[in-house]
Structure formats: structure tokens, C-alpha cells
């Protein structure tokens, strides 16, 4: 477990900032303590500094995981958010999309959100903006990228894609062996 390099920190924060913008500061300086980001086996972890100090006694080759895995760095040095970060990002997200109950299962199977499945969308959502997808009961289901701005969503065909799928809670079932 090591601190992130300057480049890794920049790439990771740019990805997280697509979803929570200026609320990134609230993720690090929380009322229940200070949290930080660490790297282990190409994965970025979000961990309390108290827990990090306790884990200092464990050797790196014996350590499997520490804290919450926020995502993975790819071989091309890009950062891909994992669904395990959803619970931490959802309270701070600026742009939200709600989908109809009939479209939930399709999204949870890894499909994009079509206009026909769109329930509501947050005001001022721009094209290619990071959004968190919610059910109509305000349960966060996953991440996505807005394929169309809110103005364009009103004009598109009902079968047009309005949110590109990135990650969903169905991954716990379908990819459980790789979510460590």
C-alpha cells in the first residue's frame, strides 16, 4: 500500500470530479476523520488515516485489501471507477438520472439507458457529464455518462441512448471474482 504519485492522483481526481465536482474536498475532509487515497496492485483505495496507521504493521505482499476500492488503473494509465465507490459518491453527486422500473433490470444487466426508460434527469445536465443513475425510489444503481444534454433529451427518438452505462450494482453478481 503506497501513496499515489502526482500523475495517478491527477488522473483519479479528474475521474471522480466528473461526478462530484467541487464536493471532492468533502470526500477527503470528513467529520468522522481524515481519509486518503492509496494504491495497491493497480487499484485505488479510499481509507481512513486511522486504519492506515494500524495497517502499517502488515507487509505489502500479505495485504489483500484495505479500505474501499474506488477503482482500477488500466495499463494505459486511465482510471476506471468501480461500483464499490457508489455509496461514497452518491451523496455528493451533482447530476442525477432516475430511470423507470421497467428499465432498471436492463441497466443492471449492463445496457445503456434509453430515452423510453428515462424517468427524470437533473437540470443543466450537459452532454458527456458523469451522472449517477437512480431508481425512481431514489436508490443509487450505478454510474453513467450523459449521452445527450437535457435539452437534446426532449427531442430525441424514444429508442435513442441518453445515458451510457459505466458501472452498476449488478456487477456484484456478474463480476464478483474480480471486484477485490
Amino acid at each position: 500500500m503506497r501513496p499515489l504519485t502526482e500523475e495517478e492522483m491527477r488522473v483519479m481526481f479528474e475521474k471522480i470530479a466528473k461526478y462530484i465536482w467541487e464536493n471532492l474536498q468533502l470526500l477527503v475532509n470528513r467529520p468522522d476523520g481524515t481519509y486518503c487515497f492509496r494504491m495497491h496492485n493497480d487499484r485505488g483505495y479510499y481509507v481512513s488515516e486511522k486504519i492506515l496507521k494500524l495497517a502499517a504493521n502488515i507487509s505489502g505482499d500479505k495485504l489483500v485489501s484495505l479500505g474501499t476500492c474506488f477503482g482500477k488503473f488500466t495499463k494505459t494509465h486511465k482510471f476506471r471507477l468501480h461500483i464499490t465507490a457508489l455509496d461514497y459518491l452518491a451523496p455528493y453527486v451533482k447530476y442525477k438520472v432516475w430511470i423507470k422500473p421497467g428499465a432498471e433490470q436492463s441497466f443492471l444487466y449492463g445496457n445503456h439507458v434509453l430515452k423510453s426508460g428515462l424517468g427524470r434527469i437533473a437540470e443543466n445536465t450537459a452532454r458527456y457529464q458523469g451522472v449517477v443513475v437512480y431508481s425512481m425510489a431514489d436508490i443509487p444503481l450505478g454510474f453513467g455518462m450523459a449521452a445527450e444534454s437535457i435539452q437534446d433529451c426532449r427531442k430525441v427518438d424514444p429508442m435513442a441512448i441518453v445515458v451510457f452505462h459505466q458501472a452498476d450494482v449488478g456487477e456484484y453478481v456478474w463480476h464478483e471474482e474480480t471486484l477485490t
Side-chain angles (χ1 to χ4, degrees):
M1 186 76 56
R2 65 170 176 80
L4 277 73
T5 64
E6 197 70 30
E7 178 67 18
E8 291 167 342
M9 184 90 59
R10 183 188 61 77
V11 170
M12 185 178 195
F13 283 171
E14 281 177 1
K15 184 67 165 193
I16 294 172
K18 285 183 180 181
Y19 295 92
I20 63 173
W21 292 73
E22 64 275 349
N23 293 332
L24 187 60
Q25 190 70 18
L26 298 173
L27 205 58
V28 178
N29 297 323
R30 293 177 28 173
D32 58 339
T34 304
Y35 283 70
C36 58
F37 291 94
R38 291 293 186 255
M39 178 86 152
H40 186 64
N41 294 337
D42 292 333
R43 286 177 169 52
Y45 289 90
Y46 179 67
V47 62
S48 166
E49 286 190 351
K50 288 194 290 188
I51 304 270
L52 190 62
K53 288 178 185 175
L54 293 172
N57 299 328
I58 302 170
S59 66
D61 59 331
K62 302 283 186 203
L63 187 65
V64 176
S65 175
L66 180 67
T68 302
C69 180
F70 255 46
K72 180 181 179 180
F73 286 93
T74 64
K75 293 188 188 294
T76 58
H77 305 291
K78 293 181 182 171
F79 187 73
R80 178 163 160 73
L81 276 175
H82 281 187
I83 195 61
T84 50
L86 181 65
D87 290 336
Y88 294 95
L89 298 182
Y92 304 117
V93 73
K94 191 171 184 178
Y95 299 106
K96 301 176 182 181
V97 171
W98 290 266
I99 59 175
K100 295 177 183 174
E104 285 179 23
Q105 185 175 7
S106 176
F107 180 74
L108 294 177
Y109 276 107
N111 297 318
H112 302 304
V113 177
L114 303 177
K115 171 142 191 290
S116 61
L118 186 65
R120 295 187 324 229
I121 188 168
E123 287 297 319
N124 301 327
T125 302
R127 186 177 214 182
Y128 304 125
Q129 177 62 53
V131 296
V132 171
V133 178
Y134 284 85
S135 69
M136 292 304 276
D138 278 336
I139 299 170
L141 299 175
F143 301 115
M145 284 284 174
E148 302 289 343
S149 66
I150 190 167
Q151 293 82 11
D152 295 338
C153 280
R154 294 182 180 120
K155 302 173 192 170
V156 297
D157 181 55
M159 296 309 288
I161 297 172
V162 292
V163 176
F164 294 120
H165 176 274
Q166 286 194 327
D168 64 74
V169 293
E171 289 180 18
Y172 282 123
V173 176
W174 308 118
H175 303 291
E176 64 183 313
E177 69 278 353
T178 60
L179 284 177
T180 58

